[in-house]
């Protein structure tokens, strides 16, 4: 059920992103030829008001297509309702609408958390430290730690609870590069002994895992109709800032952080783990992935919304469209890059799944 929930959330975020492009176009009277979820061959389709709504075989995103892109379209090239014949400002709105839709959805989800669950009112800690995520190929994965494990002792000493237990464990890991630590982790009601050897990164131990306090977060009813908005403002700003900082760190320290990048398989695994936790976890997961999708699409890379915006900006500076040959090369290079990156990430994520590792070890 957790995996299905995570998949449904990811599919919903893609639909919202593409719906942003679609409604920004149709609201301005711009012709749209298709609205597709996925790429490749069509599995299901429906025609409505001249628009093809399709579910395609490769679930790695989606797209909204325009008659401008179809050389066989019966619509004249000088039709004023074609996207390419609209002013730059209108075309810019269509391109930006996907990112805007994901950001608005993230804010709405955080606001919904305040309305449905209430306002965070503290954390009820239980003994141990929860492992919320494990990065493939890092020390934690090599030691056998899995998302959902609860670390209950370190070198024979029981861990306390709350943020202080997380801080103590993190400090011990940082101070032990290339040293073997003995952990006891609770998994499915059983205690699993593990040996963890933090990697040495500049004299500091790193294990490649996300650790958080074990316990449950308490909520209280909102004090007035405006408090959920204030809480949503705070959480949205914090998540967006962290997401942007993460992308900046990836770009400026690529060699150190590239191994931490996860693909769709790992994201689904993380979402499934959070779905089992329930409570506010799914709200935060949905908002965080939606913000990540928005920031990713805003990057100035071919085939992404940011890349389209760069082409539009260059057109505005030149006073005329870029040569079609250049635009085609730009888009084709982006397609090869993104598909190649997706395949690499899927293979990397899949190879780290426990069932696959067991098969490879035979």
């Amino acid at each position: 059920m957790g995996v299905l929930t995570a998949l449904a959330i990811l599919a919903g975020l893609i639909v919202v992103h593409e719906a942003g492009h679609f409604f920004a176009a149709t609201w301005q009277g711009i012709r749209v030829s298709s609205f597709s979820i996925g790429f490749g061959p069509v599995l299901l389709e429906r025609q409505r008001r001249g628009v093809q709504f399709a579910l395609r075989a490769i679930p790695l995103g989606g797209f909204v297509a325009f008659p401008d892109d179809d050389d066989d379209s019966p619509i004249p090239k000088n039709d004023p309702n074609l996207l390419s014949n609209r002013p730059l400002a209108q075309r810019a709105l269509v391109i930006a609408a996907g990112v805007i839709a994901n950001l608005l959805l993230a804010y709405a989800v955080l606001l919904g958390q305040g309305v449905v669950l209430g306002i965070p009112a503290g954390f009820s800690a239980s003994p141990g430290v929860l492992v919320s995520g494990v990065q493939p190929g890092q020390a934690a994965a090599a030691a056998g730690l899995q998302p959902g494990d609860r670390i209950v002792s370190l070198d024979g000493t029981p861990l306390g609870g709350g943020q202080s237990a997380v801080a103590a464990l993190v400090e011990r890991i940082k101070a032990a590069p290339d040293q073997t630590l003995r952990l006891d982790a609770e998994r499915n009601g059983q205690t699993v002994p593990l040996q963890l050897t933090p990697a040495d990164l500049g004299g500091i131990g790193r294990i490649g895992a996300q650790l958080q306090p074990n316990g449950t977060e308490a909520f209280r009813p909102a004090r007035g109709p405006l408090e959920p908005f204030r809480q949503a403002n705070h959480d949205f700003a914090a998540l967006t800032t962290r997401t942007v900082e993460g992308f900046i760190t990836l770009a400026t320290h690529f060699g150190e952080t590239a191994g931490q990048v996860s693909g769709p398989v790992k994201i689904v695994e993380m979402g499934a783990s959070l779905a089992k936790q329930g409570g506010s976890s799914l709200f935060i997961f949905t908002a965080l992935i939606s913000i990540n999708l928005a920031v990713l699409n805003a990057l100035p890379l071919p085939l992404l919304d940011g890349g389209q915006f760069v082409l539009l900006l260059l057109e505005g500076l030149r006073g005329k469209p870029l040569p079609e040959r250049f635009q085609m090369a730009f888009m084709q290079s982006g397609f090869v890059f993104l598909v190649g990156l997706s395949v690499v990430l899927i293979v990397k994520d899949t190879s780290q799944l426990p069932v696959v590792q067991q098969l490879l070890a035979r």
Side-chain angles (χ1 to χ4, degrees):
M1 182 62 69
V3 172
L4 293 178
T5 300
L7 287 172
I9 290 173
L10 290 177
L13 295 180
I14 293 172
V15 170
V16 167
H17 181 90
E18 299 306 328
H21 295 305
F22 178 80
F23 286 116
T26 55
W27 174 66
Q28 298 180 97
I30 297 172
R31 293 183 183 274
V32 176
S33 57
S34 69
F35 182 114
S36 294
I37 300 302
F39 297 95
V42 174
L43 299 178
L44 298 171
E45 68 173 318
R46 182 179 180 182
Q47 294 285 339
R48 184 175 177 84
R49 296 182 180 179
V51 180
Q52 178 199 46
F53 295 88
L55 177 66
R56 297 177 181 268
I58 305 175
L60 293 178
F63 63 92
V64 173
F66 301 88
D68 315 53
D69 306 322
D70 185 3
D71 293 333
D72 298 328
S73 173
I75 300 173
K77 294 296 183 183
N78 60 352
D79 188 312
N81 290 329
L82 289 178
L83 178 65
S84 57
N85 295 331
R86 288 301 181 94
L88 287 177
Q90 294 185 13
R91 292 154 62 190
L93 177 59
V94 172
I95 293 172
V99 170
I100 294 172
N102 279 127
L103 292 176
L104 290 176
L105 175 65
Y107 184 85
V109 168
L110 294 172
L111 180 61
Q113 175 180 275
V115 173
V116 175
L117 297 180
I119 306 301
F123 188 81
S124 178
S126 302
V129 173
L130 186 66
V131 179
S132 57
V134 176
Q135 297 164 7
Q138 304 296 313
L145 276 173
Q146 299 178 12
D149 285 354
R150 182 170 66 94
I151 302 174
V152 295
S153 71
L154 171 64
D155 288 334
T157 302
L159 292 171
Q163 193 60 49
S164 60
V166 177
L169 178 58
V170 169
E171 287 303 315
R172 182 70 182 93
I173 290 170
K174 287 183 175 180
D178 289 332
Q179 299 178 30
T180 299
L181 305 176
R182 292 183 295 108
L183 305 178
D184 286 325
E186 187 177 280
R187 181 185 303 160
N188 299 325
Q190 297 183 340
T191 300
V192 181
L194 301 170
Q195 293 191 347
L196 174 66
T197 305
D200 186 348
L201 291 179
I204 299 176
R206 302 291 188 196
I207 64 170
Q210 289 78 49
L211 306 176
Q212 67 183 54
N214 181 47
T216 57
E217 189 172 8
F219 293 87
R220 60 169 175 77
R223 300 188 184 110
L226 295 182
E227 191 172 19
F229 288 92
R230 289 194 293 268
Q231 185 65 42
N233 292 342
H234 174 273
D235 293 343
F236 180 80
L239 289 177
T240 303
T241 299
R242 292 176 187 174
T243 301
V244 172
E245 289 175 347
F247 276 95
I248 292 175
T249 301
L250 177 63
T252 56
H253 299 81
F254 185 78
E256 302 172 14
T257 58
Q260 302 175 17
V261 178
S262 296
V265 175
K266 209 65 181 178
I267 293 173
V268 170
E269 182 184 2
M270 180 177 70
S273 176
L274 293 174
K276 294 177 182 178
Q277 296 179 29
S280 65
S281 299
L282 277 182
F283 284 93
I284 298 298
F285 172 76
T286 303
L288 182 60
I289 298 302
S290 191
I291 291 172
N292 270 268
L293 187 60
V295 175
L296 175 63
N297 273 280
L299 297 178
L301 297 175
L303 215 65
L304 297 180
D305 297 339
Q308 296 276 0
F309 220 93
V310 168
L311 293 179
L312 202 64
L313 178 61
L314 292 175
E315 179 181 336
L317 293 174
R318 295 178 79 241
K320 59 180 180 180
L322 294 168
E324 187 174 342
R325 194 174 45 181
F326 175 84
Q327 295 188 49
M328 184 65 66
F330 185 73
M331 292 303 167
Q332 288 177 344
S333 66
F335 179 79
V336 172
F337 171 76
L338 291 177
V339 171
L341 179 62
S342 298
V343 171
V344 169
L345 290 176
I346 289 172
V347 170
K348 188 187 82 166
D349 291 349
T350 305
S351 67
Q352 298 298 325
L353 294 176
V355 63
V356 177
Q357 291 182 331
Q358 292 172 7
L359 291 173
L360 294 175
R362 290 180 180 177

